[in-house]
């Protein structure tokens, strides 16, 4: 089976809950000399990062993911999990004098967030090269170090490997000309609706112009589902109602894993979007980005129940 090279971060997420509202403890007229601490009785540590999350979800679907990223001296717990799952780590390189990327997220009772992110070894993502790995039929360039994202997109194009461009949280790193270059190199692009507006604003291109440079443009819209723009037409993909809503962290990555699976298996765009939508629904019912579980057969049964046909 061909493999998907997933370029992006592998990270540890420390998620804390402050059992009050931030605004009760921050004086607006004293922001200029802010010095405050929050007691956070609840703390959980999760495996995360876009490359790790997408790889985990593609594995659940029965695909062959190859996450590609730079990690640090503290990566062993992540390695242990992925080794146990049989997910290849051949494209994950260790910088022994740095830490694996870390996100420290504090939520209050209104779901406001204060986040600090330490990129660590991710700053060296350009030390990894697309051409070093065999049997790759598709790729994705997700949020990563700026130089690495530019290099990996160029290498996918040079090696004639179709890929998804997913700027995500890395959007602030790129101006309009950078984004135009990515779009012209990419085969597909996946963004949420806010990121889509940013891309339009920075490039000066509207959605029709962006779609002209791609085989398909995927725009997610949260609870409103997603839209696919291709060949001058649009396809509306409804959201799949979740069994329960627990935590949205990682839903976008689950969706992108569904896209990769459909595209690398030559499924039509409607079916591909529906697989992606169902993946997001199954993820949101579990806490953290990598704690949901199902077999390939269970997923297929979910799909048939939701859409009335088998995608195989």
């Amino acid at each position: 089976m061909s493999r998907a090279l997933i370029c992006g971060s592998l990270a540890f997420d420390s998620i804390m809950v402050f059992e009050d509202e931030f605004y009760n403890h921050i004086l607006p007229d004293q922001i200029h000399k802010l010095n405050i601490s929050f007691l956070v009785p609840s703390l959980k540590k999760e495996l995360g990062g876009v490359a790790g999350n997408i790889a985990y979800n593609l594995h659940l679907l029965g695909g062959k993911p190859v996450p590609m990223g730079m990690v640090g001296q503290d990566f062993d717990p992540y390695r242990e999990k992925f080794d146990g799952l049989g997910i290849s780590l051949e494209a994950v390189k260790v910088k022994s004098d740095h830490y694996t990327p870390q996100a420290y997220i504090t939520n209050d009772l209104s779901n406001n967030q204060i986040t600090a992110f330490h990129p660590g070894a991710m700053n060296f993502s350009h030390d990894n090269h697309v051409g070093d790995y065999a049997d790759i039929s598709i790729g994705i360039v997700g949020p990563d170090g700026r130089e690495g994202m530019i290099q990996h997109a160029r290498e996918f194009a040079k090696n004639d490997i179709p890929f998804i461009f997913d700027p995500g949280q890395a959007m602030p790193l790129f101006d309009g000309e950078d984004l135009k270059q990515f779009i012209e190199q990419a085969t597909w692009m996946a963004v949420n609706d806010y990121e889509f507006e940013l891309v339009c604003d920075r490039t000066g291109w509207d959605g029709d112009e962006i779609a002209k440079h791609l085989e398909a443009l995927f725009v997610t819209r949260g609870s409103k589902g997603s839209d696919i723009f291709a060949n001058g037409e649009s396809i509306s993909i409804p959201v799949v109602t979740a069994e329960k809503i627990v935590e949205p962290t990682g839903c976008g990555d689950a969706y992108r894993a569904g896209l990769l699976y459909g595209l690398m298996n030559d499924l039509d765009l409607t079916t591909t979007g529906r697989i992606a939508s169902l993946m997001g629904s199954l993820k949101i019912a579990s806490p953290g980005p990598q704690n949901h579980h199902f077999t390939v057969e269970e997923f297929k049964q979910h799909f048939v129940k939701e859409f009335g046909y088998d995608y195989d």
Side-chain angles (χ1 to χ4, degrees), residues 223-260:
S223 62
K224 296 180 181 179
S226 57
D227 293 312
I228 305 172
F229 301 93
N231 301 316
E233 299 179 349
S234 64
I235 303 168
S236 179
I237 304 295
V239 70
V240 175
T241 302
E243 179 182 314
K244 55 184 176 179
I245 297 177
V246 176
E247 184 181 328
T249 305
C251 285
D253 297 329
Y255 182 96
R256 282 149 179 76
L259 295 183
L260 282 172

Side-chain angles (χ1 to χ4, degrees), residues 14-307:
S14 294
I15 303 172
M16 296 158 278
V17 177
F18 174 53
E19 297 179 347
D20 200 341
E21 315 284 351
F22 292 140
Y23 69 79
N24 289 330
H25 300 268
I26 297 175
L27 301 175
D29 61 344
Q30 300 297 313
I31 292 293
H32 64 287
K33 57 178 181 179
L34 186 66
N35 186 352
I36 191 169
S37 63
F38 299 106
L39 179 65
V40 286
S42 173
L43 167 67
K44 59 180 180 178
K45 294 189 175 183
E46 303 283 1
L47 305 185
V50 294
N53 294 343
I54 294 172
Y56 177 79
N57 283 280
L58 184 56
H59 170 77
L60 289 179
L61 282 169
K64 293 291 184 182
V66 181
M68 186 170 98
M70 304 297 292
V71 299
Q73 56 187 273
D74 52 345
F75 186 66
D76 284 351
Y78 217 133
R79 182 182 302 279
E80 182 178 349
K81 177 175 181 176
F82 271 33
D83 281 346
L85 292 171
I87 297 175
S88 171
L89 292 174
E90 68 192 84
V92 174
K93 293 186 176 181
V94 177
K95 284 283 185 182
S96 59
D97 54 345
H98 288 77
Y99 290 109
T100 299
Q102 318 261 340
Y104 299 91
I105 304 164
T106 303
N107 300 308
D108 74 1
L109 294 182
S110 294
N111 289 320
N112 297 304
Q113 284 189 340
I114 297 175
T115 300
F117 182 74
H118 172 66
M122 192 181 80
N123 285 331
F124 299 90
S125 59
H126 53 278
D127 289 349
N128 226 335
H129 297 278
V130 168
D132 291 344
Y133 307 102
D135 302 322
I136 302 298
S137 67
I138 194 171
I140 183 168
V141 174
D144 209 342
R146 170 184 161 82
E147 188 177 345
M149 291 179 71
I150 292 172
Q151 174 181 293
H152 298 151
R154 183 173 61 244
E155 291 174 345
F156 275 125
K158 179 181 177 180
N159 287 279
D160 294 320
I161 299 172
F163 73 97
I164 299 171
F165 173 50
D166 171 23
Q169 304 96 316
M171 186 71 75
L173 301 178
F174 304 111
D175 62 20
E177 291 306 310
D178 293 327
L179 293 170
K180 285 181 179 180
Q181 184 67 36
F182 278 119
I183 293 167
E184 289 168 349
Q185 292 171 327
T187 316
W188 311 277
M189 183 166 74
V191 287
N192 64 32
D193 47 2
Y194 180 73
E195 293 159 357
F196 176 61
E197 295 299 328
L198 284 177
V199 172
C200 291
D201 181 66
R202 292 184 187 174
T203 61
W205 290 349
D206 61 15
D208 290 338
E209 180 62 29
I210 292 171
K212 286 179 184 177
H213 296 270
L214 301 161
E215 289 190 11
L217 167 64
F218 302 92
V219 181
T220 60
R221 304 189 186 279
S223 62
K224 296 180 181 179
S226 57
D227 293 312
I228 305 172
F229 301 93
N231 301 316
E233 299 179 349
S234 64
I235 303 168
S236 179
I237 304 295
V239 70
V240 175
T241 302
E243 179 182 314
K244 55 184 176 179
I245 297 177
V246 176
E247 184 181 328
T249 305
C251 285
D253 297 329
Y255 182 96
R256 282 149 179 76
L259 295 183
L260 282 172
Y261 181 87
L263 294 169
M264 70 191 300
N265 286 285
D266 297 320
L267 301 180
D268 64 87
L269 288 176
T270 298
T271 298
T272 295
R274 288 173 172 176
I275 290 173
S277 181
L278 180 55
M279 286 296 293
S281 170
L282 294 175
K283 203 300 328 151
I284 205 171
S286 296
Q290 295 183 29
N291 294 318
H292 50 298
H293 308 278
F294 50 79
T295 66
V296 172
E297 188 55 40
E298 287 170 341
F299 183 85
K300 289 179 177 179
Q301 290 172 2
H302 276 293
F303 188 91
V304 171
K305 180 180 178 181
E306 190 69 33
F307 300 110

